[in-house]
């Protein structure tokens, strides 16, 4: 695992002769080294100063002009002639790490920062977009980049509600017509990607509820607000009410992680707290969720004469892949590695702030296979021992460079690729 494996010869790859932008061997090795450096020096959201500086230096070395975002970390970089070129295709990477320890014991590039780890593959995503940018910059110098491309290196994906809204506020989508991204998937073999039309991740919000009443003696609950019972009924009845007031196919679910109240067995307390999450598979239901949840909590609280205070914290909406942009990714992967390198993927219950970009422009996210073929037990995301087969970096770079070229497909004469039979729409 994690050895720099040799890839097929250029002539063996479908469409390679007709489509430029293969990853040179020297650059491939450099990107692996770049990824390992990031892996050893993980930085949390909005603290990615070293990562930002490393990216900026490498892009400037290639003659490009990256701009650091207004938030102080993360950056964007445009490649190609912008005048009169029309909307750009954006390639997005997230650059932050997780606040968990790296538990890999036999790894030369394990994290050197206590309780910090790139356990979600953002170092791979970052290396992929960097590599794609360097290849596309070379194609531009050779006059073979038909349309400009924007690189987006976004901070704070792991910080609710994600760094994407701040990046959008900084102008990263100005002039962008479509956006694509990848996310590491340890269930998919390196050399392959997973695609899905429609929702590919889920929404996730945070919910905090405080209930208050006058309190009293357990001998006389009829004279006061029985707050423990009120809290228990909120915990059990609110999820049931919400589930019955939404289409079951939306998967809207309220799940509690904490409930707390009282100090003595014979005293009715005057305060109770509950906190949990609201998860949802469907974008429309997610948008309606705050009002539904508020109404359900107030209804139950009022039934028991408890005063409710609700803090509904927006997380992220689901990533809903645009069919046309998903088709672009499919065509790009087919051109590079053949149609059999693509597999259907299910909708994840996890959240991804890439979804915020899709509130403004159409886009799609692919699952990038990072499991070493033959590995029986994959290392899961958000675990301290997570690692990736680094041959996935090559796959990601060539997927993105092909997408950038095929985004202007009438100029390249590859319309049949984009018209290929689409993936089965397995959206909810």
């Amino acid at each position: 695992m994690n050895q720099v494996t040799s890839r097929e010869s250029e002539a063996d790859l479908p469409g390679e002769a007709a489509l430029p932008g293969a990853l040179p061997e020297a650059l491939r090795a450099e990107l692996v080294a770049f990824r390992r450096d990031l892996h050893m020096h993980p930085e949390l959201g909005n603290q990615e100063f070293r990562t930002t500086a490393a990216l900026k230096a490498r892009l400037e070395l290639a003659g490009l002009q990256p701009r650091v975002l207004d938030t102080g970390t993360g950056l964007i970089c445009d490649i190609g002639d912008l005048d009169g070129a029309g909307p750009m295709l954006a390639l997005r990477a997230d650059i932050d790490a997780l606040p968990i320890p790296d538990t890999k014991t036999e790894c030369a590039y394990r994290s050197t920062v206590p309780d910090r780890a790139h356990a979600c593959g953002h170092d791979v995503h970052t290396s992929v977009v960097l590599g794609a940018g360097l290849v596309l910059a070379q194609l531009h110098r050779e006059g073979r980049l038909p349309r400009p491309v924007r690189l987006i290196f976004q901070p704070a994906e792991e910080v609710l509600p994600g760094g994407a809204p701040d990046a959008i506020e900084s102008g990263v989508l100005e002039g962008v017509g479509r956006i694509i991204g990848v996310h590491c998937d340890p269930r998919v073999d390196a050399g392959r990607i997973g695609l899905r039309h429609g929702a590919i991740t889920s929404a996730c919000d945070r919910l905090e509820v405080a209930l208050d009443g006058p309190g009293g003696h357990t001998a006389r609950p009829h004279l006061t607000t029985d707050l423990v019972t009120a809290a228990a009924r909120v915990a059990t009845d609110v999820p049931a009410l919400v589930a019955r007031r939404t289409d079951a196919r939306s998967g809207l679910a309220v799940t509690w992680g904490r409930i707390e109240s009282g100090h003595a067995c014979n005293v009715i307390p005057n305060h109770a707290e509950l906190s949990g999450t609201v998860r949802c598979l469907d974008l429309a239901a997610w948008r309606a969720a705050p009002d539904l949840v508020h109404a359900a909590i107030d209804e139950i609280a009022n039934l028991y004469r408890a005063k409710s205070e609700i803090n509904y914290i927006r997380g992220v909406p689901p990533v809903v892949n645009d069919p046309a942009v998903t088709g672009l990714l499919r065509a790009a992967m087919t051109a590079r590695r053949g149609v059999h390198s693509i597999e259907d993927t299910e909708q994840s219950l996890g959240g991804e702030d890439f979804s915020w970009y899709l509130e403004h422009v159409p886009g799609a996210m692919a699952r990038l296979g990072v499991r070493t073929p033959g590995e029986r037990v994959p290392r899961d995301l958000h675990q301290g021992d997570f690692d990736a087969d680094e041959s996935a970096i090559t796959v990601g770079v060539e997927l993105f460079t092909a997408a950038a070229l095929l985004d202007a497909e009438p100029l390249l004469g590859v319309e049949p690729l984009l018209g290929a039979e689409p993936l089965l729409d397995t959206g909810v």
Side-chain angles (χ1 to χ4, degrees):
M1 188 171 182
N2 300 316
Q3 297 302 310
V4 181
T5 57
S6 61
R7 52 168 295 186
E8 301 96 330
S9 68
E10 301 295 338
D12 291 336
L13 294 178
E16 195 72 58
L19 197 64
L23 183 62
E25 181 67 24
L27 180 54
R28 187 173 68 88
E30 179 189 348
L31 292 174
V32 169
F34 189 90
R35 180 257 169 172
R36 293 184 177 189
D37 180 71
L38 295 185
H39 202 84
M40 293 174 67
H41 302 92
E43 297 174 300
L44 299 184
N46 295 316
Q47 301 174 24
E48 312 95 331
F49 297 103
R50 184 184 185 278
T51 302
T52 299
L55 288 165
K56 185 172 184 289
R58 184 60 184 92
L59 292 167
E60 288 176 341
L61 185 63
L64 300 171
Q65 297 179 324
R67 175 178 70 83
V68 176
L69 300 183
D70 296 342
T71 52
T73 61
L75 46 83
I76 63 172
C77 183
D78 294 338
I79 301 169
D81 297 320
L82 303 182
D83 295 336
M88 288 180 284
L89 176 70
L91 316 179
R92 176 267 198 175
D94 37 11
I95 66 174
D96 58 324
L98 286 163
I100 63 175
D102 189 333
T103 60
K104 296 188 294 295
T105 56
E106 298 180 3
C107 179
Y109 51 87
R110 64 178 297 186
S111 173
T112 61
V113 184
D115 299 322
R116 304 287 184 270
H118 267 296
C120 199
H122 294 188
D123 51 342
V124 174
H125 307 164
T126 301
S127 301
V128 164
V129 173
L130 173 63
L134 296 176
V135 171
L136 292 172
Q138 180 60 35
L139 290 177
H140 173 60
R141 287 189 290 270
E142 296 170 357
R144 296 197 289 171
L145 182 63
R147 191 172 295 175
V149 173
R150 172 167 294 165
L151 313 180
I152 300 176
F153 297 95
Q154 178 215 299
E157 190 275 332
E158 300 286 356
V159 180
L160 200 71
D166 287 337
I168 294 168
E169 185 69 22
S170 294
V172 301
L173 292 182
E174 293 176 6
V176 169
R178 300 203 276 189
I179 187 169
I180 56 177
V182 294
H183 198 293
C184 290
D185 191 337
R187 302 166 301 172
V188 178
D189 282 351
R192 299 172 63 83
I193 64 168
L195 289 178
R196 178 185 175 90
H197 291 161
I200 193 171
T201 70
S202 300
C204 181
D205 299 332
R206 192 165 76 236
L207 178 62
E208 298 173 350
V209 180
L211 300 175
D212 289 287
H217 199 290
T218 56
R220 295 175 288 278
H222 59 290
L223 298 179
T224 185
T225 297
D226 189 354
L227 208 59
V228 172
T229 298
R233 295 307 296 265
V234 167
T236 57
D237 291 356
V238 166
L241 277 177
V242 169
R244 287 296 178 265
R245 293 174 179 177
T246 56
D247 190 326
R249 291 170 296 181
S250 70
L252 181 60
V254 177
T255 306
W256 305 105
R258 184 180 71 92
I259 182 169
E260 184 176 342
S261 185
H263 301 283
C265 67
N266 62 343
V267 176
I268 295 175
N270 58 15
H271 183 74
E273 294 181 358
L274 304 91
S275 58
T277 61
V278 181
R279 294 185 182 271
C280 186
L281 301 174
D282 179 72
L283 182 59
W286 176 77
R287 288 172 174 156
D291 289 341
L292 282 170
V293 172
H294 271 261
I297 293 171
D298 287 340
E299 186 173 326
I300 300 302
N302 289 338
L303 185 63
Y304 288 87
R305 303 194 305 271
K307 179 182 177 183
S308 61
E309 182 177 337
I310 304 166
N311 185 21
Y312 193 107
I313 304 164
R314 271 304 201 190
V316 292
V319 173
V320 182
N321 281 350
D322 177 80
V325 185
T326 306
L328 174 64
L329 289 171
R330 183 180 191 275
M333 193 64 177
T334 299
R336 293 297 193 200
R337 304 251 162 181
V339 68
H340 298 296
S341 63
I342 304 168
E343 59 185 66
D344 292 344
T345 191
E346 64 185 10
Q347 183 177 4
S348 166
L349 287 174
E352 230 290 351
D353 77 348
F354 184 78
S355 53
W356 290 118
Y357 298 111
L358 306 189
E359 298 277 295
H360 301 271
V361 297
M365 172 168 280
R367 301 201 185 283
L368 180 66
V370 296
R371 178 178 62 193
T372 299
E375 185 179 32
R376 288 190 174 185
V377 182
R379 304 184 183 188
D380 204 1
L381 300 171
H382 286 220
Q383 299 298 312
D385 66 345
F386 173 77
D387 206 351
D389 187 317
E390 290 168 321
S391 65
I393 297 174
T394 297
V395 178
V397 169
E398 295 191 349
L399 172 69
F400 277 174
T401 55
L405 295 170
L406 294 177
D407 190 44
E409 92 290 342
L411 301 178
L412 296 175
V414 296
E415 286 176 298
L417 279 175
L418 291 179
E421 184 178 350
L423 290 171
L424 175 67
D425 187 349
T426 56
V428 175

